[in-house]
């Protein structure tokens, strides 16, 4: 059984310079209360791995605006002009990775694989500096795995074992990131008694989850 932490207590666990995998798809499935607490605490020099940076004033966009991010690995930044400006000015280092490649790199990190072979990016600037491996006469890029010091997840429900249920597009990155974080912190909308979440609906088992946040008020 896990004891639910306040958002401030959870944010205090994340040191400056940490590598954080943050779930969400334009903010859907992101741990918003935890992000607010991280901004409040003033955490700095983070490496963020995420699908995107949402938009100014929303989700991961708040960490961008607060100057908390040193490096970003994401599939796109097109809907957050603040991220674009900070990339152009050199304030944030940005590594763009095709969406499917990004999630597979995270999956590889969680599964202990040495990387992913993909044809995506062959013949484009994506292949710069990467190893090309030929398989059956076809070239593939070797994309290296991604792991994080922390995986920060948003979910619909949790029980006190830490079993997590997601809703809709929150499935996109959260379950995979739960495999690749050394410490996994989940922010549920609701905490329910053990047994309420059907086993078929548990997408992240509690054995992977280190901490859960108190439910939203």
């Amino acid at each position: 059984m896990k004891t639910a932490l306040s958002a401030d207590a959870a944010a205090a666990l994340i040191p400056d310079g940490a590598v954080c995998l943050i779930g969400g798809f334009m903010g859907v499935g992101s741990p918003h209360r935890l992000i607010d607490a991280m901004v409040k605490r003033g955490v700095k020099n983070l490496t963020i791995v995420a699908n995107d940076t949402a938009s100014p004033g929303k989700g991961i966009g708040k960490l961008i605006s607060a100057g908390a991010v040193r490096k970003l690995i994401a599939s796109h930044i097109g809907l957050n002009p603040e991220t674009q400006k900070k990339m152009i000015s050199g304030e944030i280092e940005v590594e763009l990775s095709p969406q499917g490649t990004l999630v597979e790199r995270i999956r590889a990190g969680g599964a202990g694989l040495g990387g992913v072979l993909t044809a995506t990016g062959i013949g484009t600037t994506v292949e710069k500096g990467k190893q090309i491996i030929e398989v059956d006469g076809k070239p593939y890029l070797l994309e290296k795995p991604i792991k994080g010091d922390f995986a920060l997840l948003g979910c619909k429900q949790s029980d006190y074992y830490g079993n997590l249920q997601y809703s809709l597009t929150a499935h996109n990155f959260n379950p995979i990131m739960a495999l690749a974080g050394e410490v996994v912190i989940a922010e549920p909308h609701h905490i329910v008694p053990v047994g309420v979440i059907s086993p078929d609906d548990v997408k992240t088992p509690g054995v992977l989850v280190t901490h859960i946040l108190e439910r939203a008020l």
Side-chain angles (χ1 to χ4, degrees):
M1 300 289 280
K2 295 176 172 65
T3 301
L5 301 179
S6 69
D8 287 342
L13 300 174
I14 303 169
D16 293 352
V19 178
C20 296
L21 314 175
I22 303 183
F25 196 88
M26 287 310 297
V28 177
S30 294
H32 295 284
R33 290 178 287 128
L34 179 53
I35 288 172
D36 287 345
M38 292 167 68
V39 171
K40 176 183 173 183
R41 177 177 161 268
V43 66
K44 300 292 183 184
N45 296 320
L46 298 175
T47 295
I48 299 297
V49 181
N51 178 65
D52 56 74
T53 56
S55 55
K58 181 179 181 181
I60 297 170
K62 293 183 178 181
L63 291 170
I64 299 293
S65 300
V69 181
R70 176 187 61 82
K71 181 177 179 180
L72 171 70
I73 303 174
S75 70
H76 72 89
I77 59 173
L79 297 179
N80 192 328
E82 290 187 3
T83 306
Q84 298 173 45
K85 290 177 182 178
K86 292 191 176 191
M87 179 184 72
I88 292 169
S89 70
E91 184 176 343
I92 295 177
E93 177 187 350
V94 175
E95 177 185 337
L96 295 176
S97 182
Q99 192 174 81
T101 301
L102 177 61
V103 74
E104 288 301 320
R105 291 174 67 192
I106 297 168
R107 191 194 311 273
L113 302 179
V116 176
L117 294 180
T118 176
T120 302
I122 288 288
T124 74
T125 56
V126 172
E127 73 175 32
K128 183 178 179 181
K130 296 177 181 175
Q131 185 177 353
I132 298 177
I133 296 175
E134 189 172 292
V135 179
D136 294 335
K138 296 181 179 180
Y140 295 87
L141 293 181
L142 173 62
E143 294 281 3
K144 294 183 178 180
I146 296 174
K147 295 193 72 173
D149 301 314
F150 294 86
L152 311 178
L153 317 176
C155 63
K156 178 182 179 181
Q157 293 189 136
S158 169
D159 61 27
Y160 280 101
Y161 283 157
N163 296 309
L164 308 183
Q165 178 186 9
Y166 304 100
S167 180
L168 302 174
T169 55
H171 287 90
N172 286 353
F173 276 82
N174 280 308
I176 300 303
M177 288 181 169
L179 298 170
E182 290 294 327
V183 175
V184 178
I185 304 176
E187 179 184 305
H189 287 289
H190 305 285
I191 301 177
V192 298
V194 174
V196 169
I197 303 174
S198 167
D200 284 344
D201 291 331
V202 173
K203 304 305 179 185
T204 297
V207 69
L208 297 174
V209 178
T210 316
H211 303 287
I212 59 173
L213 263 63
E214 297 170 338
R215 66 179 178 84
L217 298 177

